[in-house]
Structure formats: structure tokens, C-alpha cells
Amino acid sequence: MYESITEYDIDESKHYDMKLEGAKWLILAGYEGEKIRVRLGSNTFSTLQNDFKVKIDDIRKRIDIDVKRKNGATEAMAKSEIDIFVQIPVQYIDKIECEAHAETVEIRSIECENMEFGVKTTNLILENVVGSVEVDCNLDMEIMCDSLNGEIAINQVSATSKIHVPEEAIFQAVAKGIGTSISYEKAGQQVERFDAPEADNVIELNGIKSELIVCIG
């Protein structure tokens, strides 16, 4: 019902550094285009355009994207009422760094050798993502992957998360850090490990006293 759209032209590969603060749902997607598009949307927040500001700074090879709150708008308001949808041109992606606090974070249609997400979320969706993804989050997460094409490194402290992968996925799982462990489930039942230690695709758990459950079915 209410929305704010900010666009910026791009004509070369960039390192994207995004600080998006709070949202109910964050979608970051690659697309075939020439512009960065940042859309803020809400069904209830009638003062959206006045209370949230999108700032895009082009600094040589880096693009900074910041979403700022104004006029007393709080993070609690944003996390309950605001959705953020960021589109970046697939042909101009060099590196991605993103910080956000959202109930659900969805990354889709992106190929990039270096992606780092510092997020506070309980639901992470990776759809058609190719490359190296690093996720820093100390909350228990439910991670949904429609495919595995590269490396997913999950950094956590005192957390238990689940990652759902396709049954046909071929990967190796590696636990690093202190007191970390990886276990496996199939159709909701604990099973023996089913990864392939020499596989090119990697799921990695790093951190302290954390557990990752790899699930299929």
C-alpha cells in the first residue's frame, strides 16, 4: 500500500556495502539491468517516505547503501512493518557485504565469489546463489537452500541451526572452532553423515559451542 523507491545507475563492477538496519522481510536479488533499486514497502506504515531514508554513495569501486530511520521511527517498528527489496545488476557485482536485522532474509539469483552477511535473522533463504557465502549470526537459524554451488560458511556462538539442502546435493561438511558439531537428518530422523568429504561444494560451521543440523527430505 505504501512504498518508497530509490534507483541509481551502475556501469561497472562494484563492491556493495549495505547497512539496511531493521526490516520484517529483506530480499536481496540480482537482476539483468543497469540500476541499483531499493524498494521499501509496507501495508500499514503511512509515513514511510518521510520516516525512512535510502542513501546511496558511489565511492570509486564501492557502493554504500544505507537505510536510515528518521522522525522517531524505531527498529521495532521497522521489524514489524517494513519490507526491504534490493536489486543489483548481476553483471556489475564484485563483492557483497550486508548488515541487516530481519525476521526473514532472502538472497536470490546472485553469483559472486565473496558474499558476507552480518545478519540477525531466524530464517535465511538462499535461492539460485552461486559462490562463497559467509553468514555471521548468533541466533538459531532455519536455512533453506534450493541448491549448493560453492561454499556456505556459518559463523555462530552458542546457537543451533538447521540447513536444508536438496537430496541430490553433493557437498562436504566441515566443523571448525571450539565445541562445534554437525549432525544429519533425513525426513526428520537423525541419520549417519551423508556428505562427500572430497566434494567441491562446502558447508562449514565456525564459532563456539554451536551445532548445525544438515537436513534433506
Side-chain angles (χ1 to χ4, degrees):
M1 186 177 296
Y2 308 104
E3 68 176 6
S4 170
I5 298 174
T6 304
E7 296 186 333
Y8 184 81
D9 286 318
I10 296 291
D11 59 6
E12 63 177 339
S13 292
K14 296 286 187 177
H15 169 185
Y16 297 88
D17 190 351
M18 293 172 268
K19 294 178 174 60
L20 305 179
E21 297 194 349
K24 184 175 183 180
W25 195 298
L26 166 64
I27 298 175
L28 172 62
Y31 83 112
E32 298 290 342
E34 302 286 333
K35 298 176 183 288
I36 298 168
R37 294 174 177 165
V38 182
R39 176 185 178 272
L40 309 183
S42 175
N43 288 326
T44 58
F45 212 101
S46 61
T47 58
L48 172 67
Q49 292 189 2
N50 293 325
D51 295 345
F52 291 83
K53 173 70 173 178
V54 175
K55 184 179 180 183
I56 299 176
D57 288 328
D58 191 346
I59 308 169
R60 294 185 180 179
K61 294 291 186 177
R62 193 180 84 234
I63 293 285
D64 290 346
I65 304 173
D66 296 286
V67 176
K68 299 291 188 180
R69 299 187 301 272
K70 303 189 301 178
N71 303 323
T74 66
E75 182 162 305
M77 293 175 184
K79 290 170 72 174
S80 65
E81 300 185 56
I82 305 297
D83 295 332
I84 302 176
F85 184 20
V86 180
Q87 291 177 285
I88 52 180
V90 291
Q91 69 270 37
Y92 297 138
I93 298 175
D94 177 29
K95 179 181 179 180
I96 295 172
E97 293 182 77
C98 181
E99 296 180 12
H101 302 170
E103 181 180 325
T104 300
V105 174
E106 182 174 346
I107 315 298
R108 65 189 191 206
S109 302
I110 289 179
E111 181 173 348
C112 180
E113 291 185 4
N114 193 333
M115 294 171 271
E116 184 172 351
F117 299 97
V119 294
K120 289 184 179 179
T121 187
T122 53
N123 299 291
L124 175 63
I125 300 168
L126 302 175
E127 179 181 320
N128 191 26
V129 174
V130 179
S132 177
V133 179
E134 185 171 355
V135 181
D136 302 321
C137 179
N138 291 331
L139 301 179
D140 295 351
M141 288 188 294
E142 201 85 16
I143 306 168
M144 308 297 296
C145 300
D146 73 335
S147 61
L148 282 176
N149 294 288
E151 179 178 350
I152 300 174
I154 301 163
N155 307 324
Q156 299 201 289
V157 175
S158 299
T160 299
S161 293
K162 286 188 174 184
I163 182 167
H164 299 262
V165 301
E167 192 160 355
E168 69 275 10
I170 300 173
F171 64 93
Q172 59 171 305
V174 181
K176 297 182 179 180
I178 300 171
T180 60
S181 65
I182 297 177
S183 57
Y184 301 81
E185 283 187 4
K186 184 174 183 179
Q189 301 296 318
Q190 188 168 354
V191 296
E192 296 296 321
R193 65 183 298 174
F194 48 73
D195 66 326
E198 301 301 321
D200 292 333
N201 300 319
V202 178
I203 296 174
E204 182 175 296
L205 174 65
N206 301 293
I208 301 172
K209 294 182 179 179
S210 292
E211 180 182 357
L212 180 66
I213 304 168
V214 183
C215 306
I216 59 174

